[in-house]
Amino acid sequence: MGTPRRLLGTLAGLLVLLAIISPEAFNWLMLRAFNALWPWAQVVGMILVGVGIIMALLPKSSKGGGKKDG
């Protein structure tokens, strides 16, 4: 299998090849992938928005990261 980066590169290359050879099949595949993944993207997005709101409401920690006198 190789490394994850190599696998993703191979998949991206195959998708580009499919898009060049058969644009109709590529469009069909991308439409099906989008329709399958869109609900999950919405769920993850709403979770991230919720976490962002909660983090904004929590008090900030005052220790660490500041300049030291000296």
Side-chain angles (χ1 to χ4, degrees), residues 6-7 22 40 56 61-62 66 68-69:
R6 185 174 178 183
L7 178 63
S22 178
W40 293 105
S61 174
S62 63
K68 293 183 179 179
D69 294 331

Side-chain angles (χ1 to χ4, degrees), residues 24-56:
E24 297 85 15
F26 177 76
N27 287 338
W28 180 86
L29 182 66
M30 289 297 108
L31 182 64
R32 298 303 178 272
F34 178 79
N35 286 339
L37 296 175
W38 181 242
W40 293 105
Q42 288 178 323
V43 169
V44 169
M46 291 305 293
I47 290 172
L48 290 176
V49 166
V51 168
I53 290 170
I54 291 171
M55 294 296 286

